[in-house]
Amino acid sequence: TRYKHRGVTNKRKVILLTCRVHPGETPSSHTLRGFIDWLTSDDPHAVALRLHVTFVIVPMLNPDGCFHGNYRTDSLGTDLNRAWENPTEFEPTLLAVRSLAKTYAEDSTVELDFYIDCHAHTTSKASFLFVNPPEESDSAEAWERVAALPRLVDLNCEGSALGFSLAACKFCSDPSKSGSARHALRDLLLKRGASKAMCYTLEMSFYSPPNAQKTWTATTSNEASYEAFGRAMGDSFADYYGLRSDAAYPRQRAVMTRVERARKNGGVDPESSRKKNGGGSGSFAF
């Protein structure tokens, strides 16, 4: 099936997800399980998404580190999330994922839209996304595209105990993290012609209190809440591809309308409120 997303392309979409490069970040696995359970369910939006999008999921990048009970490293003491630029035979999972990304980037019949590396954060009381600023730094359309997923996740978590914060999301090109998946795969995809692929790091909070709640409780940080977040992430992908009713989800539709408006204006949106600041980072007014 080829899905023509909002009249832009008829290539089949691909979304690549990875998880547990750091063994101790267990909330990420519960989140990914919730997403996979939803994606493979009979939910009509999940069924529609499977028809239109290919999901490539690597649920555990560091199996030996997980087996040994390490917190951050593999069995050789390597932090794999600083080894993505030039992995060796001692980092076989990174080599395999890079090969996968290259294959999809070079396949003219598909379009790799998203890469998301799933982590968990020990100090943030809210879950959030690290977002790569777009290469087309002066393009309102590019900024609206990369901001769409954080906005949609925020809307689909709103009013729940899922603890996602749009305000906590960071548009960041920190050179000290050049060896991380988000940065290294971006560079690989750019070299292979997949310049529009959007790369993120999802950071699930170990605490996950609702916005109005200041302290952790067991009711907001457990397997069920993380799995529910995974389902909300699935709904966000369905919204991005226009697979849920616009009438039933008008605010989600409005997010994608911003993207379309910027595209129709040739990438220059007079209503865009993007700002730039120093240090190679961008802040975006949501």
Side-chain angles (χ1 to χ4, degrees), residues 57-70:
I57 300 173
V58 182
M60 188 171 287
L61 285 165
N62 193 347
D64 52 323
C66 291
F67 175 81
H68 287 292
N70 295 353

Side-chain angles (χ1 to χ4, degrees), residues 186-206:
R186 172 203 60 192
D187 294 342
L188 181 150
L189 293 170
L190 284 171
K191 291 176 182 176
R192 301 295 173 179
S195 60
K196 291 190 175 182
M198 296 171 283
C199 300
Y200 304 82
T201 300
L202 172 63
E203 293 281 1
M204 295 302 302
S205 170
F206 271 89

Side-chain angles (χ1 to χ4, degrees), residues 80-201:
L80 295 180
N81 205 39
R82 295 297 180 268
W84 281 95
E85 282 185 303
N86 296 293
T88 71
E89 61 182 325
F90 297 109
E91 296 92 34
T93 58
L94 307 194
L95 288 172
V97 171
R98 284 179 62 93
S99 178
L100 271 174
K102 176 182 174 182
T103 296
Y104 284 108
E106 294 178 344
D107 186 341
S108 62
T109 68
V110 301
E111 188 166 18
L112 181 58
D113 270 351
F114 293 97
Y115 168 63
I116 302 176
D117 190 29
C118 302
H119 289 250
H121 205 286
T122 57
T123 60
S124 175
K125 288 189 176 181
S127 300
F128 65 94
L129 285 160
F130 281 111
V131 185
N132 278 351
E135 289 301 303
E136 310 94 331
S137 60
D138 294 324
S139 167
E141 178 193 351
W143 281 96
E144 293 291 353
R145 283 180 69 248
V146 298
L149 184 65
R151 287 175 174 147
L152 293 170
V153 173
D154 187 63
L155 288 172
N156 288 319
C157 290
E158 191 177 62
S160 69
L162 301 186
F164 184 82
S165 172
L166 185 61
C169 292
K170 297 176 174 63
F171 289 77
C172 175
S173 294
D174 185 351
S176 69
K177 295 185 178 181
S178 60
S180 68
R182 174 170 55 96
H183 288 302
L185 287 194
R186 172 203 60 192
D187 294 342
L188 181 150
L189 293 170
L190 284 171
K191 291 176 182 176
R192 301 295 173 179
S195 60
K196 291 190 175 182
M198 296 171 283
C199 300
Y200 304 82
T201 300

